[in-house]
Amino acid sequence: MVQIGNLHFENTPIFLAPMEDVSDTSFRMICKELGADVVISEFASADALIRNIRQTEQKLSFCQRERPFGIQLFGNEAGSMCEAARIAQEYNPDFIDINWGCPVKKIAGKGAGAGMLQNLPLLIAITKEVVRSVKTPVTVKTRTGWDETNKPIVELAEQLQDVGVSAISIHGRTRSMMYKGEADWTLIGKIKENPRMRIPVIGNGDVDTAQKALQVKERYRVDGIMIGRASVGNPWIFSAVKSLLEKNMILASPSIEERLAVCKRHFDMTLQDKGEHYGILTMRKHYKNYFRELENFKQTRIKLLTTSCAEEIVSLFQSIEKQYIKQER
Ligand SMILES: Cc1cc2nc3c(=O)[nH]c(=O)nc-3n(C[C@H](O)[C@H](O)[C@H](O)COP(=O)(O)O)c2cc1C
């Protein structure tokens, strides 16, 4: 049994990773339907939230069907982080997640996200204040460290537990690795070997098949697994992982028909949520994977990725159906 705040999981919970411009409410709902146990918002800037920036406030909204749901915040200062956490709490999420892992220069360079891995006393102090400022359970998502010479995650995880964090997710890369190289799960495994650790440890990084999920679960004994990039245009990764971990069954890949049906629904939901312009831009991240198995698809893909017209996209979907599905039947 895995417990995070008031949430209880009989089996290893599988998380959809927070991803800016990807893990919006439409995609989260689709991942949920296809097996994700927990979903988290895109990160929201604490400073923007306390200044009532509407676009950031919209990131906190979710549907009941998305539960369990976490709101992720980033910032570099206790006052604004606590105030933002109180605002986030009003939305009644199941937990509030602090981002101490974002490597992007405009965030880490200001000491937020992974930037705080260079100032661990402040990281712990802010986390402690945020935990105290809200009733909602607080979790942390971070990386193994700043760079090759500075990987404090094993001790840091214990210190975060001591200030009241309810769970910790670790992406097995340092800040300086950005998204390059391979995620190093050995340090994540070391956290689990620490007999003082009681809170759930969620492992993250490069899980792109059900087999890989099973392997990291068995080898590193993590309490939960978080999946990001491999879910983009491929939300079936969650059902595949659940099936292998819980029933020891390998699921067949979805048919083209199923892929198209889910993509169409995802498209409709996204445009309804974000409007035509921004919805079309968001969906471009997903097409490559939704249709990755189709032969001679390059021209259609280019059109999907360049048109700004919803009607044209709908007719491209129809042409995919005609060309690939009618043929399949
Ligand atoms: C497009 C994109 C956006 C991301 N946005 C966030 C974010 O908002 N918050 C966060 O904690 N991590 C973010 N991440 C990192 C992911 O949550 C995850 O830690 C990372 O991709 C490693 O997992 P993966 O190998 O399964 O993708 C983002 C990653 C990508 C690729």
Side-chain angles (χ1 to χ4, degrees), residues 17-20 22 42-43 72 99 141 171 179 204-207 226-229:
M19 285 182 283
E20 189 187 17
V22 175
E42 305 164 71
F43 62 10
Q72 192 187 63
N99 177 324
K141 178 169 181 284
H171 175 189
Y179 290 93
N204 169 237
D206 300 346
V207 173
M226 181 179 277
I227 300 177
R229 289 165 296 176

Side-chain angles (χ1 to χ4, degrees), residues 46-260:
D47 290 338
L49 266 187
I50 64 178
R51 281 186 280 122
N52 296 325
I53 307 283
R54 215 171 63 100
Q55 231 183 336
T56 306
E57 281 171 355
Q58 279 168 351
K59 287 190 179 175
L60 310 194
S61 303
F62 63 99
C63 290
Q64 293 307 311
R65 277 187 289 156
E66 292 181 49
R67 286 191 188 279
F69 173 76
I71 289 178
Q72 192 187 63
L73 300 175
F74 73 90
N76 61 3
E77 192 264 318
S80 57
M81 286 292 276
C82 291
E83 203 178 326
R86 284 190 288 267
I87 296 170
Q89 181 168 250
E90 297 290 305
Y91 287 73
N92 199 17
D94 296 286
F95 59 95
I96 293 171
D97 188 58
I98 305 179
N99 177 324
W100 294 134
C102 179
V104 177
K105 203 167 173 191
K106 69 173 192 232
I107 289 171
K110 291 184 188 146
M116 200 56 85
L117 289 167
Q118 288 189 304
N119 188 347
L120 298 184
L122 186 58
L123 185 158
I124 293 294
I126 296 178
T127 308
K128 188 175 179 178
E129 296 252 329
V130 173
V131 169
R132 280 191 186 162
S133 68
V134 285
K135 290 202 184 79
T136 310
V138 174
T139 59
V140 162
K141 178 169 181 284
T142 187
R143 292 185 171 228
T144 52
W146 178 256
D147 62 17
E148 218 18 61
T149 62
N150 172 359
K151 295 200 263 189
I153 193 62
V154 177
E155 304 84 53
L156 178 62
E158 197 178 316
Q159 289 165 357
L160 286 166
Q161 170 177 277
D162 290 346
V163 296
V165 159
S166 297
I168 172 166
S169 325
I170 299 111
H171 175 189
R173 285 187 173 83
T174 60
R175 189 271 168 173
S176 67
M177 289 172 80
M178 305 298 283
Y179 290 93
K180 292 193 288 284
E182 244 180 72
D184 172 10
W185 280 70
T186 53
L187 279 175
I188 302 175
K190 289 243 160 63
I191 302 172
K192 282 301 298 173
E193 284 167 20
N194 176 354
R196 284 206 65 240
M197 282 307 285
R198 298 177 313 276
I199 59 171
V201 174
I202 319 301
N204 169 237
D206 300 346
V207 173
D208 53 4
T209 59
Q211 287 76 5
K212 178 100 188 251
L214 182 63
Q215 189 194 341
V216 294
K217 162 84 189 125
E218 290 185 342
R219 192 173 296 171
Y220 303 107
R221 306 271 156 209
V222 284
D223 302 290
I225 296 171
M226 181 179 277
I227 300 177
R229 289 165 296 176
S231 69
V232 181
N234 182 32
W236 295 272
I237 182 112
F238 294 104
S239 36
V241 169
K242 298 288 285 178
S243 168
L244 190 62
L245 263 56
E246 292 170 19
K247 299 185 201 132
N248 201 24
M249 267 169 50
I250 296 177
L251 277 193
S253 326
S255 63
I256 297 165
E257 201 166 359
E258 199 179 341
R259 286 182 171 276
L260 179 63

